[in-house]
Amino acid sequence: MPALNETHDLNLTSWVASANDAQCDFPIQNLPFAAFRRQGSDEAFRGGVAIGDQIVDLAAAKATGVFSGLAQTAAEACAAPRLNDFMGMGKEAWSALRLALSQALRSGSAAEAQLSACLVAQAEAEYDLPCTIGDYTDFYTSVFHATTVGSLFRPDNPLLPNYKWVPIGYHGRSSSIDVSGQSFHRPKGQTKAPDAAEPSFGPCKRLDYELEMGIYIGKGTDLGDTIALDSADDHVFGLCLFNDWSARDIQAWEYQPLGPFLAKNFASTVSPWIVTTEALAPYRTAWSRDEADPQPLPYLESETNRAEGAIDIQLEVLLESDKMRAEGQGAAKLSESSFVHSYWTVAQMVAHHTVNGCNMKPGDFFGSGTQSGPTHDEAGSMLELSLGGKQPITLANGETRTFLEDGDAVIMRGHCQKEGAARIGFGEVVGTVLPAKA
Amino acid sequence: MPALNETHDLNLTSWVASANDAQCDFPIQNLPFAAFRRQGSDEAFRGGVAIGDQIVDLAAAKATGVFSGLAQTAAEACAAPRLNDFMGMGKEAWSALRLALSQALRSGSAAEAQLSACLVAQAEAEYDLPCTIGDYTDFYTSVFHATTVGSLFRPDNPLLPNYKWVPIGYHGRSSSIDVSGQSFHRPKGQTKAPDAAEPSFGPCKRLDYELEMGIYIGKGTDLGDTIALDSADDHVFGLCLFNDWSARDIQAWEYQPLGPFLAKNFASTVSPWIVTTEALAPYRTAWSRDEADPQPLPYLESETNRAEGAIDIQLEVLLESDKMRAEGQGAAKLSESSFVHSYWTVAQMVAHHTVNGCNMKPGDFFGSGTQSGPTHDEAGSMLELSLGGKQPITLANGETRTFLEDGDAVIMRGHCQKEGAARIGFGEVVGTVLPAKA
């Protein structure tokens, strides 16, 4: 795994007591970034770092004198409403600020008095997108999702011949990406039933979620430059949870030959917190390719990628219906999966995306593609769980679903956990389906 | 056609003498916008308007007192390095500035003394992107291109069943769009020959251009809002020329099932000048659909769109090779076409793109798709001209091409012209292929 340092030490505790709970997503070893302000205020959004159930307000912290040198410069960049400038500073600056925060937040730190005045409770915060997303690319890295969905869209040809050679990706829409809490009207569009002579127009009938990881580019590149596989960590600022809402009936009719369009660009939702590449270091793990499968071309192959290219992130999806909300029932779990199943690693996505010279800008965003696991109950979309809408699933309270209904909120959570390392949580991403506009 | 006003009057002349040449792209009836500065200077880029062979520097002009009211507010917005704020102000502001410029630039205007001090010769200028392009969408609106290319990529299934119902589009990459003068290295990538067992990696062997119109969104919308067909003109700021460079061999191997990706995102080039929707009003013309074809669904159908949805823009593509450059030969014409052949109108693209609630931001950009005409010699790509690379084309100087070679510059020009209206030119877009990086 990548080099660990004092910030990863399992034994560290914080003077922010809530961070020391073993089940907390945001212990002192995590330190993820978001853009926040106090709920309902007209304050400017600014960068913050999660610690326990609190947020370190970096716009306030930069003025305390707690940080110095590169960490201070980085903290100043984080005072902006969006974190693009900080993300573009690169790994050295990211690490310097992480180390300074880790030291200042530790039990016994002399900075406690100054930084405790910079805390805002997460319960009192609201979030914005952490950065301006210039370009958004969606990958398709779960071979299980690709095979299952392929069999629904193309029964005779589920997994195309390029899949095991090319980290398949396509461009998505940035403008409609919003942060957790997003609600959106059920999209309308053209659909055509297989037996209909002509398409018709109306609200989507097969609305779905997709359980994905989001990947933020930090340091950019110039047009014509490539990012080698083993340099990807210099450019990937961090990861979040991502719900790539999908209108399956619109998608089926529109997607050939140039790919999904209106089926995807009505809404996409990210979790507020970016968990940094550095925080995830203890959870990097071996990546392998079945012997029977094609092995990667040289630009997608390295010893380091084999040794530590994968990341073991546990994921879950829950649904909260109007009824559950009204009756005070908890949300119902739909599935669990893990990012470790990804057929291609984050580094392979980055190397592939830039091998033709495509330039990256700080804040550019990748979706991993739906992270379905190898078994049916690990499916990352309702399309898969309901076998293309043919077999309704039964929720914990007895309701059934083949696709999403109005009022449904979809909740995704993720975390890393293992012996000998601190839990690294992602928090959650929530989004809610509103009825189609009249 | 849309209402004409005094700015369209054919009889207007300008005190900028070069604007009065009948073959000039930029007479006083045009007044297109760009972002420019003096070549080789470190001046800030700012908005400018073309008049004859000159540019009105709007950062300078706003300080002259020539404009007032909304026109002055608009001119102030144009003093920024990029025009997004001005474009987002909407039609009333665009029209106010156009009218004020038209009046100030007319022969006999009292503003001549002040504005003549704000002129910069186009020969001494360099350009930037006119605005920050948040999202870029590429459409596919030539049925001739779609049929020909479809027959090359899918011989048994050239035009898919959705084509005549759905204005097919897909998301593109914004970061690699640059302004005319862009040069880029031949992209590398995975390709697979039809008879090869496995893909291989290397420089693209089938590099191509695509002759497109570019469409800039001005006034934006919120997520969930739609733009009705007959409101599209309120949102479309203007048009430019657009070369959507394409790596055909990479495209063929990667594009299924999610669309073109690395085959397109290594470079895309726009012309510097945005010709406004208002300037194009005299060239709006009837749009029709063959009786034998499906007629548009209601959200894509209106009397106004039938009456004036199309725009008659004459287009041409030329190639200048290293040899032509070295020997001082002119560029060789490859083809001529017209935007009037488009199967879907700009308004239909806008209405379709937003019918699901997808939001638009000022500066968002659409490509029209390759504007091939009905005959072979009107093809808008070399893929079509060379019948998929099977039949080399012979250039004016005797060189041959199946696809682009290193050193080739591709030049696209466009203009509107007819009896009773002033010529409205687009200038040109030029881009040059450099050898693949080692």
Side-chain angles (χ1 to χ4, degrees), chain B residues 9-196:
Chain B
D9 184 349
L10 175 60
N11 298 315
L12 293 183
T13 58
S14 174
W15 50 261
V16 180
S18 57
N20 304 324
D21 178 336
Q23 285 310 301
C24 175
D25 268 357
F26 306 126
I28 192 168
Q29 294 83 358
N30 192 346
L31 303 177
F33 288 81
F36 82 102
R37 67 177 176 190
R38 285 182 181 79
Q39 258 171 39
S41 74
D42 59 359
E43 294 173 353
F45 284 96
R46 65 273 190 185
V49 165
I51 179 75
D53 59 9
Q54 302 292 309
I55 303 169
V56 181
D57 179 343
L58 290 169
K62 79 172 167 63
T64 59
V66 164
F67 309 127
S68 62
L70 187 54
Q72 173 66 14
T73 310
E76 286 166 9
C78 290
R82 295 201 161 175
L83 298 172
N84 299 70
D85 286 350
F86 168 58
M87 293 162 70
M89 290 174 75
K91 202 172 171 177
E92 202 188 343
W94 312 335
S95 282
L97 183 55
R98 174 180 166 86
L99 177 61
L101 280 162
S102 171
Q103 291 172 340
L105 289 166
R106 282 178 206 171
S107 305
S109 162
E112 177 175 349
Q114 288 155 292
L115 274 200
S116 60
C118 304
L119 296 182
V120 175
Q122 286 163 29
E124 293 168 16
E126 63 186 12
Y127 301 93
D128 195 2
L129 285 178
C131 59
T132 298
I133 297 172
D135 277 298
Y136 152 45
T137 296
D138 200 26
F139 283 91
Y140 195 53
T141 68
S142 164
V143 69
F144 309 110
H145 172 75
T147 305
T148 306
V149 171
S151 71
L152 296 169
F153 280 81
R154 296 175 304 278
D156 50 345
N157 198 14
L159 196 69
L160 296 172
N162 58 10
Y163 188 87
K164 293 185 172 181
W165 294 98
V166 180
I168 294 289
Y170 67 110
H171 301 113
R173 179 92 189 168
S174 300
S175 72
S176 48
I177 302 178
D178 206 348
V179 76
S180 184
Q182 183 178 37
S183 56
F184 60 88
H185 295 279
R186 178 179 295 272
K188 296 181 184 175
Q190 283 193 40
T191 59
K192 190 173 111 33
D195 55 349

Side-chain angles (χ1 to χ4, degrees), chain A residues 91-147:
Chain A
K91 202 172 173 178
E92 201 188 344
W94 311 336
S95 283
L97 183 55
R98 173 180 167 84
L99 177 60
L101 281 162
S102 171
Q103 291 171 341
L105 289 165
R106 283 178 206 171
S107 304
S109 163
E112 177 174 349
Q114 288 156 293
L115 274 199
S116 61
C118 303
L119 296 182
V120 174
Q122 288 164 27
E124 291 168 17
E126 64 186 11
Y127 301 94
D128 195 1
L129 285 178
C131 58
T132 298
I133 297 172
D135 277 297
Y136 152 45
T137 296
D138 200 26
F139 283 91
Y140 195 54
T141 68
S142 163
V143 69
F144 309 110
H145 173 74
T147 304

Side-chain angles (χ1 to χ4, degrees), chain A residues 135 173 175 190 265 356 364, chain B residues 135 165 173 175 265 356 364:
Chain A
D135 277 297
R173 179 93 188 168
S175 72
Q190 283 193 39
N265 63 19
N356 69 342
D364 284 349
Chain B
D135 277 298
W165 294 98
R173 179 92 189 168
S175 72
N265 63 17
N356 68 342
D364 284 349

Side-chain angles (χ1 to χ4, degrees), chain A residues 134-140 154 160-162 165-176 182-185 187-190 197-201 223-225 250-251 253-267 297 299-300 352-361 364 366 437, chain B residues 134-140 154 160-162 165-176 182-185 187-190 197-201 223-225 250-251 253-267 297 299-300 352-361 364 366 437:
Chain A
D135 277 297
Y136 152 45
T137 296
D138 200 26
F139 283 91
Y140 195 54
R154 296 174 304 277
L160 296 173
N162 57 10
W165 294 97
V166 179
I168 294 290
Y170 66 110
H171 301 114
R173 179 93 188 168
S174 300
S175 72
S176 47
Q182 183 177 37
S183 56
F184 59 88
H185 296 279
K188 295 181 186 175
Q190 283 193 39
E198 297 189 352
S200 59
F201 181 83
L223 195 67
D225 288 351
I250 295 173
Q251 184 175 350
W253 173 231
E254 76 171 2
Y255 90 104
Q256 287 187 316
L258 300 177
F261 180 48
L262 299 190
K264 299 278 190 171
N265 63 19
F266 55 90
L297 291 179
Y299 76 99
L300 297 172
H352 182 67
H353 202 321
T354 59
V355 77
N356 69 342
C358 179
N359 56 330
M360 292 286 140
K361 294 188 175 176
D364 284 349
F366 302 171
K437 281 192 170 180
Chain B
D135 277 298
Y136 152 45
T137 296
D138 200 26
F139 283 91
Y140 195 53
R154 296 175 304 278
L160 296 172
N162 58 10
W165 294 98
V166 180
I168 294 289
Y170 67 110
H171 301 113
R173 179 92 189 168
S174 300
S175 72
S176 48
Q182 183 178 37
S183 56
F184 60 88
H185 295 279
K188 296 181 184 175
Q190 283 193 40
E198 297 189 352
S200 58
F201 181 83
L223 195 68
D225 287 352
I250 295 172
Q251 184 176 350
W253 174 231
E254 77 171 1
Y255 90 104
Q256 285 187 316
L258 299 177
F261 180 48
L262 299 190
K264 300 278 191 172
N265 63 17
F266 55 90
L297 290 179
Y299 76 99
L300 297 171
H352 182 66
H353 202 322
T354 59
V355 77
N356 68 342
C358 178
N359 56 330
M360 292 285 138
K361 294 189 174 175
D364 284 349
F366 301 172
K437 281 194 172 178

